[in-house]
Amino acid sequence: MVDYALIAMMLLPILACIVLKVLYTPESEGVNISGALVFFTTAEGEPGLTDFYLSESQVNTWAVMISIFGLCLYLTHGLTAKAVCKRQLVAEWLVEKSEKLVRDNMGGFFAEWGPFIAAIMGLSAFSSLICLVGLFSPTGDVNVTFGWAILVFFLIMFYKFRGGTWNYVKGLFKPIPVFAPMNLIGEIATPVSMAFRHYGNILSGAVISALIGSALTGLSRSLLSWLPGVLGDMPLLRVGLPAVLSVYFDVFSGVMQAFIFAMLTMLNVAGAVPWDDWNARRKKRNKPEIQNTAA
């Protein structure tokens, strides 16, 4: 019964989002390339900074998080000292691969970052893949990816200041003071580039798939309208090619962008630590030095 409840926890949020999608999607003809639906808003007239919006991106993100949480509970339910079921083997494999990925790219000091990196990849990948069931991908909304990038930016800055605030400020003026504005822009460019890279790849794939699907529908009606009855109205040329394109734009690209975002997170955070300055400060406080060696 617990397993059935956890499976329902994985599926019901996605089914609820599909129902909302059907209820709130307006009727349209031709190509419809739009952003996330807005389910609720407090805006009156022109939007302002104090207005609240409940969009499809937010709802779908929470649905994905609940589904992933249910999946984690399902994979770890009934754990034993020695794996006796396939789902425990899957859970152990995921943990081992996440920890190895972190150790290889961030070093031993960040060994406990495995769950965080796995969460980033899982949330990003599943947020992109829900478009396969007709839902809007939260990663196709720049607000979502920018929120993730800002979180990573705070982590980067946290470790950069480990070497001391003054040392960080002096680093902005290296190698020569005239480079200070460019170094400052480079700091700000990190979250911007991470957000727009992820968002742009997912959104472009959705737009291209929609345009090709619409073009094939029009071509089918032009070339096959001579077929009798309902066959002349069916977009027969649309069968096959959009599915093949979806393998790349939705599956491969979505999973790849999740991996890239996680890799950029690891490399930027691990590369942000000023080990020499940090160890110098620790030495003044009679604390042991920290060595970030790969395991």
Side-chain angles (χ1 to χ4, degrees), residues 27-250:
E27 295 183 0
S28 62
E29 296 182 359
V31 182
N32 182 20
I33 301 175
S34 58
L37 296 173
V38 177
F39 298 132
F40 173 78
T41 178
T42 60
E44 297 180 0
E46 293 295 330
L49 294 177
T50 59
D51 298 328
F52 173 77
Y53 293 88
L54 181 62
S55 70
E56 193 176 7
S57 299
Q58 295 165 295
V59 174
N60 290 355
T61 299
W62 276 99
V64 170
M65 289 192 294
I66 295 172
S67 298
I68 293 177
F69 183 51
L71 176 62
C72 293
L73 293 178
Y74 176 77
L75 292 176
T76 57
H77 177 236
L79 292 179
T80 58
K82 183 178 180 180
V84 295
C85 59
K86 293 182 179 179
R87 63 181 177 185
Q88 182 171 343
L89 293 175
V90 172
E92 293 178 356
W93 181 82
L94 291 173
V95 171
E96 291 174 358
K97 291 301 180 181
S98 299
E99 292 181 346
K100 184 178 184 300
L101 184 66
V102 171
R103 288 195 304 268
D104 292 343
N105 291 280
M106 301 184 75
F109 178 76
F110 296 94
E112 297 180 354
W113 275 56
F116 178 74
I117 299 301
I120 288 179
M121 286 194 291
L123 180 59
S124 177
F126 281 98
S127 294
S128 299
L129 293 176
I130 62 172
C131 65
L132 296 176
V133 294
L135 295 176
F136 178 80
S137 298
T139 48
D141 188 339
V142 70
N143 298 288
V144 174
T145 57
F146 216 101
W148 298 352
I150 290 175
L151 172 61
V152 174
F153 177 70
F154 284 146
L155 293 173
I156 293 172
M157 298 308 296
F158 171 77
Y159 282 103
K160 282 192 174 183
F161 279 101
R162 283 294 184 93
T165 304
W166 178 241
N167 289 328
Y168 171 75
V169 174
K170 287 193 301 182
L172 295 176
F173 293 88
K174 294 180 180 179
I176 55 177
V178 73
F179 283 168
M182 288 180 285
N183 290 334
L184 185 60
I185 293 175
E187 296 288 331
I188 301 174
T190 299
V192 175
S193 63
M194 291 181 66
F196 278 95
R197 177 185 288 108
H198 199 345
Y199 152 78
N201 280 278
I202 301 302
L203 181 65
S204 61
V207 171
I208 292 173
S209 297
L211 292 175
I212 292 177
S214 178
L216 290 175
T217 300
L219 184 62
S220 180
R221 290 175 180 175
S222 300
L223 298 179
L224 305 178
S225 59
W226 55 271
L227 292 176
V230 70
L231 292 177
D233 297 329
M234 294 179 62
L236 297 178
L237 296 180
R238 192 170 177 174
V239 177
L241 182 57
V244 175
L245 294 176
S246 179
V247 173
Y248 173 78
F249 289 120
D250 297 332

